[in-house]
Amino acid sequence: MAIQVYNGFDLESLASRLMQDLSAEWRNPFDSPLVLFSDKKVEQWFQLYWLTCPQGGRTGRAVMNLRTVPLDRFLFSLLQDPSLPVGKQEQRLTSDQLRNMLLAKLASRTADGLLYYKTLGAAQVEAYLERADGKSLDIIHLYDFAEQLAKLFIDYEVTRPDDYDGQGRGLIEAWSRGDRFFDGSAVEDWQRRLYRDISLLLESSEPAYLTLPRLFFKNKQKNGGKPRFNYSGSGVYLLGFSGMGQIYRKILQDFGAEHNLFIYVQGSPLLEQAENLLAKKWGAFGKENVSWWASCCPSGCSPAEASPAADASSTLALLQQAV
């Protein structure tokens, strides 16, 4: 099993290559290969492009039978525990759900009757959450605080996977053990404690509510440090992978070690030569993304087709071809 990566300057060249590969694999019109999309709009564009492309080779009815799944949903289903009965399998935790859990936790009272947020030992948190009289909670501040923390905690997990520091350790493992992960400041101390307490509540519920990174972490814990994937189908195709956190690439890399995975990524060195700063940054990101995927497969990246001979000084021309 292996990962095969195709690189193209624009989405049309990638889509054309994907259509070619799918047509070769798609023998039964009622049993199509599985195609993943990280963006719903890219999925809608691809299906429309296939219908209107002269080289598409598929009728409208056949394209409607194309089996597509959002990337997030696919990865979560890969990692769920198959031994749990239906209705008790892990559920995905959203930012809104986490915010509501934080609201309830922060305003709850301990067995001693003390408000929970006062047990964090963070004077700046207390000052922000309390009204000027120091006797009651500021509800607006409490809501804003919980919402920002929910986004922050999920961002921590998504962007700092288990090998983030190069020593096989990530934020989830470190904070779950009570270890420090960042600079060990007072801010990290109270964030780490709140994170651990909320995580225990979420994992002890039935069904457990987990983010994708935490589900990946728990899956490996249960299986001797190696992820176990619930998938027995044929090859999987992914178009439009960009702007995703490191955890997505990590899961896909491990999945590709056991299954055939075809990835179609966008990027071109021409954009790095543009005069426009935004175009340069876009080109640098695309180059880094392509380089990372190339390092995951023995054959490196294969061109979807020849890159267009565009004028590197014309930012507008470059962007028009790429988008």
Side-chain angles (χ1 to χ4, degrees):
M1 304 302 175
I3 299 175
Q4 178 64 56
V5 180
Y6 294 99
N7 168 227
F9 180 75
D10 55 74
L11 272 178
E12 288 190 359
S13 64
L14 294 173
S16 297
R17 176 70 201 212
L18 175 56
M19 289 190 304
Q20 175 184 331
D21 294 343
L22 289 175
S23 295
E25 179 69 21
W26 194 353
R27 299 176 180 85
N28 183 343
F30 300 102
D31 184 21
S32 84
L34 178 62
V35 186
L36 308 178
F37 295 92
S38 58
D39 189 298
K40 184 65 176 179
K41 292 182 179 179
V42 174
E43 175 186 348
Q44 295 170 340
W45 172 86
F46 174 73
Q47 292 185 331
L48 180 61
Y49 179 75
W50 197 338
L51 283 172
T52 57
C53 181
Q55 294 81 28
R58 286 276 169 182
T59 64
R61 180 175 299 178
V63 174
M64 288 177 62
N65 290 332
L66 182 65
R67 189 157 56 106
T68 63
V69 179
L71 177 61
D72 280 352
R73 187 191 305 170
F74 175 74
L75 295 182
F76 201 90
S77 66
L78 281 182
L79 299 167
Q80 286 176 309
D81 187 348
S83 67
L84 295 175
V86 177
K88 294 187 178 182
Q89 286 189 324
E90 302 93 342
Q91 299 298 309
R92 185 171 184 188
L93 177 70
T94 66
S95 178
D96 287 347
Q97 291 170 329
L98 181 54
R99 176 201 62 209
N100 293 339
M101 289 290 294
L102 286 166
L103 282 170
K105 184 64 177 177
L106 289 166
S108 66
R109 291 186 179 273
T110 66
D112 299 329
L114 191 66
L115 284 166
Y116 173 82
Y117 71 87
K118 289 182 176 292
T119 69
L120 296 175
Q124 68 272 36
V125 174
E126 295 182 27
Y128 180 75
L129 294 182
E130 294 174 349
R131 294 184 182 275
D133 58 13
K135 298 180 180 179
S136 59
L137 277 170
D138 186 318
I139 303 302
I140 295 178
H141 282 190
L142 176 64
Y143 183 91
D144 289 342
F145 186 67
E147 186 167 50
Q148 291 303 315
L149 273 181
K151 294 176 182 177
L152 186 65
F153 285 166
I154 290 179
D155 181 68
Y156 281 166
E157 293 186 351
V158 169
T159 58
R160 294 161 177 83
D162 59 359
D163 58 351
Y164 177 80
D165 61 359
Q167 301 176 10
R169 189 192 73 147
L171 178 132
I172 296 177
E173 181 181 0
W175 276 13
S176 296
R177 290 200 311 248
D179 297 340
R180 290 173 171 174
F181 184 81
F182 295 105
D183 56 4
S185 66
V187 173
E188 180 177 359
D189 286 342
W190 69 257
Q191 284 190 6
R192 180 184 55 195
R193 177 178 174 182
L194 178 55
Y195 175 89
R196 290 183 67 195
D197 290 346
I198 284 293
S199 298
L200 289 173
L201 283 175
L202 293 168
E203 291 182 21
S204 62
S205 64
E206 195 174 87
Y209 282 84
L210 307 172
T211 59
L212 176 63
R214 180 161 284 275
L215 178 61
F216 185 51
F217 176 72
K218 299 297 290 185
N219 179 295
K220 291 193 298 180
Q221 275 190 324
K222 293 178 181 178
N223 297 286
K226 184 180 180 181
R228 178 181 178 182
F229 297 111
N230 307 315
Y231 187 77
S232 58
S234 56
V236 175
Y237 300 79
L238 171 60
L239 174 66
F241 185 92
S242 63
M244 308 296 285
Q246 291 188 45
I247 188 66
Y248 293 86
R249 299 199 300 191
K250 175 60 178 171
I251 298 173
L252 287 169
Q253 180 184 15
D254 289 347
F255 177 77
E258 302 177 8
H259 304 273
N260 288 323
L261 178 63
F262 303 89
I263 298 177
Y264 305 78
V265 293
Q266 191 175 2
S268 171
L270 290 176
L271 284 174
E272 289 191 292
Q273 305 169 25
E275 296 178 0
N276 182 277
L277 181 60
L278 178 60
K280 283 185 176 181
K281 289 185 176 180
W282 187 14
F285 171 78
K287 180 180 179 180
E288 185 275 335
N289 194 29
V290 171
S291 298
W292 190 90
W293 282 114
S295 68
C296 296
C297 52
S299 60
C301 284
S302 301
E305 66 176 18
S307 297
D311 180 2
S313 64
S314 175
T315 302
L316 178 60
L318 288 168
L319 295 179
Q320 284 177 333
Q321 288 176 303
V323 177

